[in-house]
Amino acid sequence: MSAQIVPGAERKLKNRISIQMSISNSLTMAYRTLLLIRRTPQQLFDVTIQPILFTLMFSFLFGGAISGSVAGYLPIIIPGILAQTAITASMGTGVQLREDMDKGVFYRFKSMPIARMATLAGPLLADIVRYSIATGLTLVMGYILGFRWVSTDGLLLAGFLSVFAAWCLSWVFALLGVVMKSAQAVQGISAAILFPLSFLSGAFVPTKTLPSWLQDFVNVNPLTYVVSAVRQLFTQGTVGTDFWLSLAGSIAIVLVFAPLTLRAYMRKA
Amino acid sequence: MMQQGVQGQERQQRALAIEAHGLVKVFGDNRAVDGVDLSIPTGSIYALLGPNGAGKTTIINMLTTLLKPSGGSAKIFGHDVAKETQIVRQLISVTGQSAAVDERLSATENLTIFGMLLGLSKSQASKRAAELLVEFGLEEAAKRTLEKFSGGMRRRLDLASSLIIQAPLIFLDEPTTGLDPRTRVQMWESIRRMVASGSTILLTTQYLDEADQLADRIAVIDHGRVVAEGTPRELKAAVGKATLNLSLADEKEAPEAARIAEDVLRVKTSRPEANLVTAPMSDPDSVTDLLVALRNAKIRLATVSVQEPTLDEVFIALTGDGKDAQAGGAKA
């Protein structure tokens, strides 16, 4: 029982965490987030109920008015909802990060010899699962309603783009999660950002129908480009300018917000 | 051979687990910790004793890299807590006041994740988790989420989490607060076991008997300062001498007994009760003379006892704040 441990003064230690350890720590934290999702499936409401509900609701509510029929509206609405649900799901990342950081277990994480960024990188990594569920469910709903895509490659690329854009945007909400004091505050601010972003885009209506001042806003809204790119992938199966613009914009968001978020997080942790 | 022994001893003495000089932490205009010096040798149990709000937890938070000191410096096995944070974190484990475990996960999942974060593989981590759950009597509750755990079970799991890999220096912030007496004794046994296998322990407590029972040395903390430091025995001796209690069979003889006691011991006596005479006792030998003198005067005694000063008295005397100390003492 009383095997002696190596005395503290005789240990050779380095004052930094290796890259392998940082990756391993991040993967462990991602595993932890997945366990939490499995334990509390309520966390998946926003990525399960919303795609199903929105697809049905918008298709039948606006289908006749905008495109003359539900079937005619599907090529407009499905790419829109695809992008919208994935991006709404990314808002949940910030809220859950804030909630998690208030838990007592973070006291232990902070005193452990682990990479500081792992507690941030882990949940962000694990949330890719959430975005994939949102994207997959929207596509299944669309298929049931009669939506068809022209090529599998297009379908896969469209799915990838939605998930990737959502992941990139989740860094913005992660920053809010780190900086704001309460989960409710994060929720409130995130919703205020997300509503105009998702509705004032090309997601639900053809942009040509909008007044010109609104078109200006829609044209600078990055989500518009994601939606257009996804739409092109579905209907023509081709990669266009919108695709590359969306990809570049998403990467730009990460390049700006990931360092900001990490810095804010390190200062607190 | 002998020289080697001496050198070894010197090295031991130099190997301080914790060394702090003038540690200060200021929150706004509140000096929560106000110039604390600590020097804690490897392999000892050291207690920070003080009322709520004395600054004990703030000291721990600075020593464990969770808070940056506003002033002063501290070293853990020679490594600066502000500059070599990652080294320090590899040398310590912390069990805080509130159980730092994830309530939404099961006991096994908690321990496995902590183990993996410490560099164990998933199978090593779950094996270690299973061992610890048996050791802390939690194996039956292993799969349940902690929401259904009692307070005592959470504390035990919290301690188990700190022992996945036994650290050379273990911080325990009020480890037994809110535990039932049986679990408390178990906790004390765990603490002694950790020291036996080579760890150094710094614990905080408001319970005086806990510090008395466990600690090799105690620092009494009040208003962010160390107001006294020493072994439990030294602290008690610093405050007062033992007291001799003479309880008389017949209370009418008490004034006469008091007069004889003052004569023989050459001290002032007091009579807290009608049949009780008490006197400060400096020289145990003189008590024999007193007992002989009392027999010669045909004064009959009901009981004779010697009372050591308690740490409660030490605490009240040192902090000069009877209320806080009594509150702590009453809970103990």
Side-chain angles (χ1 to χ4, degrees):
Chain A
M1 179 59 230
S2 72
Q4 292 289 310
I5 60 165
V6 179
E10 290 171 22
R11 297 186 183 202
K12 297 264 177 289
L13 300 166
K14 288 206 181 86
N15 192 31
R16 55 176 203 89
I17 303 286
S18 67
I19 292 171
Q20 294 98 302
M21 197 64 185
S22 304
I23 293 171
S24 153
N25 286 163
S26 302
L27 290 176
T28 305
M29 293 309 278
Y31 169 68
R32 167 176 178 272
T33 308
L34 292 179
L35 281 180
L36 284 172
I37 291 177
R38 211 180 59 188
R39 287 275 174 185
T40 45
Q42 306 90 289
Q43 279 190 42
L44 291 179
F45 278 177
D46 62 337
V47 294
T48 49
I49 297 193
Q50 190 180 326
I52 296 173
L53 202 65
F54 274 31
T55 314
L56 287 173
M57 214 169 63
F58 283 105
S59 301
F60 289 103
L61 201 59
F62 298 133
I66 294 173
S67 303
S69 71
V70 172
Y73 185 46
L74 285 175
I76 296 177
I77 189 68
I78 295 299
I81 291 185
L82 197 68
Q84 193 218 16
T85 48
I87 279 162
T88 312
S90 75
M91 176 176 99
T93 301
V95 177
Q96 271 155 25
L97 193 66
R98 174 72 269 158
E99 266 178 7
D100 209 18
M101 283 171 68
D102 291 336
K103 294 270 191 301
V105 69
F106 256 70
Y107 181 86
R108 180 177 301 285
F109 290 146
K110 283 190 209 164
S111 70
M112 284 173 83
I114 57 174
R116 291 277 151 289
M117 58 165 287
T119 39
L120 190 67
L124 281 165
L125 209 58
D127 274 355
I128 290 178
V129 172
R130 285 160 34 83
Y131 313 145
S132 304
I133 292 175
T135 305
L137 273 178
T138 310
L139 287 171
V140 169
M141 282 313 291
Y143 191 84
I144 292 171
L145 291 178
F147 176 67
R148 294 294 179 269
W149 38 86
V150 294
S151 76
T152 319
D153 287 353
L155 171 77
L156 291 177
L157 267 180
F160 161 78
L161 184 63
S162 311
V163 172
F164 184 72
W167 184 79
C168 295
L169 196 64
S170 73
W171 283 95
V172 178
F173 298 113
L175 177 64
L176 291 175
V178 171
V179 175
M180 309 285 287
K181 285 228 162 62
S182 72
Q184 284 96 326
V186 178
Q187 177 99 46
I189 297 268
S190 303
I193 295 175
L194 213 59
F195 261 98
L197 211 60
S198 64
F199 282 98
L200 303 182
S201 70
F204 299 101
V205 293
T207 48
K208 290 182 294 251
T209 62
L210 303 173
S212 65
W213 59 269
L214 195 53
Q215 280 194 30
D216 292 342
F217 178 82
V218 168
N219 285 334
V220 294
N221 183 348
L223 197 63
T224 304
Y225 294 93
V226 178
V227 172
S228 306
V230 168
R231 213 169 264 154
Q232 191 183 344
L233 283 164
F234 278 140
T235 54
Q236 296 160 33
T238 54
V239 170
T241 330
D242 287 330
F243 180 86
W244 297 115
L245 281 176
S246 316
L247 213 57
S250 301
I251 291 168
I253 287 178
V254 175
L255 290 180
V256 173
F257 282 91
L260 280 178
T261 310
L262 277 174
R263 217 178 59 186
Y265 180 75
M266 294 294 203
R267 206 173 296 153
K268 281 208 169 176
Chain B
M1 271 300 281
M2 204 153 143
Q3 212 165 5
Q4 261 181 2
V6 171
Q7 273 174 356
Q9 217 172 13
E10 269 175 16
R11 200 181 304 132
Q12 278 280 292
Q13 279 170 353
R14 261 187 280 128
L16 287 177
I18 302 177
E19 194 182 1
H21 294 290
L23 216 49
V24 173
K25 184 68 196 180
V26 183
F27 296 114
D29 44 353
N30 169 29
R31 290 178 81 82
V33 175
D34 195 5
V36 164
D37 296 328
L38 290 171
S39 160
I40 301 176
T42 299
S44 61
I45 302 182
Y46 197 95
L48 300 180
L49 177 66
N52 277 329
K56 305 187 297 284
T57 301
T58 310
I59 294 174
I60 294 241
N61 283 345
M62 286 191 281
L63 294 176
T64 55
T65 76
L66 295 172
L67 267 184
K68 280 219 159 64
S70 316
S73 68
K75 283 181 174 170
I76 304 294
F77 295 109
H79 299 285
D80 192 292
V81 294
K83 293 187 194 105
E84 298 170 278
T85 49
Q86 285 296 4
I87 290 184
V88 169
R89 287 179 193 134
Q90 291 170 66
L91 292 166
I92 62 171
S93 76
V94 192
T95 300
Q97 268 181 51
S98 54
V101 285
D102 206 316
E103 313 229 314
R104 297 160 297 173
L105 296 176
S106 74
T108 307
E109 286 166 345
N110 264 290
L111 291 173
T112 309
I113 285 169
F114 296 140
M116 286 163 73
L117 287 174
L118 289 169
L120 300 180
S121 72
K122 198 176 167 193
S123 61
Q124 284 172 325
S126 34
K127 191 166 153 265
R128 185 71 187 123
E131 285 169 13
L132 283 166
L133 289 171
V134 172
E135 194 181 325
F136 283 84
L138 291 167
E139 69 268 41
E140 279 166 31
K143 289 209 168 68
R144 275 188 275 153
T145 57
L146 306 195
E147 277 150 359
K148 298 173 188 95
F149 269 39
S150 70
M153 286 160 84
R154 276 178 216 204
R155 300 300 312 247
R156 273 186 282 162
L157 180 65
D158 197 21
L159 186 66
S161 310
S162 301
L163 294 178
I164 293 168
I165 293 176
Q166 193 181 336
L169 175 58
I170 298 170
F171 291 89
L172 302 167
D173 197 1
E174 305 204 359
T176 62
T177 301
L179 293 189
D180 62 72
R182 195 174 61 98
T183 321
R184 206 167 155 214
V185 172
Q186 280 177 357
M187 185 69 89
W188 288 356
E189 281 168 13
S190 306
I191 292 171
R192 292 194 178 107
R193 248 199 332 263
M194 294 187 272
V195 175
S197 52
S199 291
T200 307
I201 311 271
L202 175 64
L203 62 90
T204 70
T205 182
Q206 342 178 13
Y207 301 141
L208 305 149
D209 65 326
E210 183 162 282
D212 202 357
Q213 287 260 351
L214 277 178
D216 299 311
R217 293 184 80 80
I218 297 171
V220 182
I221 310 284
D222 195 34
H223 295 111
R225 289 168 183 275
V226 177
V227 291
E229 206 270 349
T231 63
R233 182 183 287 247
E234 281 167 2
L235 286 179
K236 287 184 215 164
V239 158
K241 300 188 170 92
T243 309
L244 178 68
N245 294 324
L246 301 171
S247 153
L248 300 156
D250 184 354
E251 63 179 55
K252 283 188 214 106
E253 294 172 347
E256 176 66 2
R259 194 189 57 72
I260 295 172
E262 293 192 358
D263 254 20
V264 176
L265 301 176
R266 293 193 187 84
V267 292
K268 261 187 84 67
T269 61
S270 53
R271 278 179 61 200
E273 285 165 46
N275 68 333
L276 187 66
V277 175
T278 67
M281 187 185 77
S282 46
D283 176 12
D285 280 345
S286 61
V287 176
T288 324
D289 299 340
L290 174 61
L291 292 178
V292 171
L294 288 172
R295 164 168 287 184
N296 291 342
K298 295 214 164 45
I299 292 172
R300 285 175 305 125
L301 295 168
T303 61
V304 180
S305 66
V306 176
Q307 199 189 336
E308 291 277 341
T310 63
L311 269 177
D312 290 81
E313 291 171 300
V314 175
F315 199 71
I316 293 165
L318 286 172
T319 60
D321 197 349
K323 258 189 216 152
D324 283 0
Q326 267 163 7
K331 265 191 264 167

